[in-house]
Amino acid sequence: MRPASPPPSSSALLRRRTVAAALVAAPALWLGLRAQPAARLRATPAQTEGPFYPLALPQDSDHDLLRNGALNYPEGQGAWLEGSVTDLAGKPVAGAQVEIWQCDHAGHYHHPGDGNRADRRFQGFGRVTVDAEGRYRFRTLRPVAYAGRTPHIHLKVKLGQRELLTTQLYVAGDPGNPRDFLWRSLDEADRAALTVPFAPGSDGLQARFPIVLAA
């Protein structure tokens, strides 16, 4: 007959109770962590549309502003501008359209208010619909300064007939930023949201501009 095992020591009982309590608490702790709501993102600040939004959209208004119809635009520094369009919870905004417009390398817009002096090889305006993950991408020009303004790109987001956001993005580190009246009007957080680096990438300069919509 096998001899009876000695009763567990008080320290062994304490260890067993501690492990059991941890196993019971772990699912509740995990469920509690999963139940926490995701942190809300900060909405991209709005800025003025400016005077040079096209009166009529150009015939060629695709993602590539460096090619206008059959004409190629070789001036300035080409750049890729890309990002995503989401709501405050980080969910892609399906069907959103992103528009950008900007001046050419000499600081001129395709607009009668600017004398229609822009280089005809430069498309100057582009529009794309975001993909299933909310992403967009443009091939364009690193923006340049002109009288009274630091380098910037105008941007608008639409959903159907609704305009959800109009704003401007700026070039990080550009010496003209502190002298620009619109850039100076922003607080520190809004400047950070609208000012992005144009950095060398595998296929040229690249800038990333995430867009977060308030509604």
Side-chain angles (χ1 to χ4, degrees):
M1 183 174 179
R2 180 181 298 176
S5 300
S9 66
S10 58
S11 59
L13 285 173
L14 180 60
R15 285 196 298 271
R16 290 178 188 177
R17 289 171 182 170
T18 301
V19 170
L23 292 174
V24 170
L29 178 61
W30 172 244
L31 290 174
L33 290 173
R34 293 186 62 187
Q36 294 297 318
R40 286 168 65 85
L41 300 174
R42 190 174 188 276
T44 301
Q47 284 210 301
T48 178
E49 178 180 280
F52 300 128
Y53 184 80
L55 297 181
L57 299 188
Q59 183 175 358
D60 188 350
S61 57
D62 63 4
H63 79 287
D64 189 352
L65 279 68
L66 302 185
R67 183 176 178 84
N68 192 13
L71 302 175
N72 290 313
Y73 184 71
E75 310 294 343
Q77 291 181 279
W80 290 97
L81 172 63
E82 61 186 8
S84 58
V85 180
T86 67
D87 61 18
L88 292 171
K91 180 181 177 182
V93 180
Q97 285 192 325
V98 181
E99 299 178 349
I100 65 169
W101 67 101
Q102 65 186 102
C103 66
D104 67 10
H105 73 286
H108 300 308
Y109 286 86
H110 288 294
H111 195 281
D114 195 29
N116 282 322
R117 294 177 293 167
D119 192 315
R120 66 190 185 94
R121 297 170 297 175
F122 183 52
Q123 187 172 296
F125 173 92
R127 177 174 55 186
V128 298
T129 300
V130 302
D131 66 13
E133 296 180 21
R135 297 173 300 189
Y136 70 89
R137 197 178 199 219
F138 291 97
R139 181 171 178 248
T140 189
L141 178 71
R142 183 194 185 278
V144 301
Y146 58 88
R149 291 303 316 274
T150 195
H152 62 282
I153 297 176
H154 297 269
L155 185 144
K156 190 183 293 287
V157 181
K158 295 180 178 179
L159 187 61
Q161 298 301 311
R162 296 172 56 208
E163 291 190 5
L164 304 182
L165 176 69
T166 300
T167 193
Q168 300 181 33
L169 69 91
Y170 301 90
V171 180
D174 193 278
N177 290 344
R179 298 190 297 271
D180 187 88
F181 71 103
L182 283 175
W183 192 87
R184 288 201 316 267
S185 70
L186 298 166
D187 63 27
E188 186 174 349
D190 286 351
R191 287 176 186 174
L194 296 184
T195 309
V196 298
F198 281 70
S202 59
D203 53 355
L205 286 181
Q206 296 180 340
R208 178 161 181 79
F209 186 65
I211 302 168
V212 180
L213 301 176

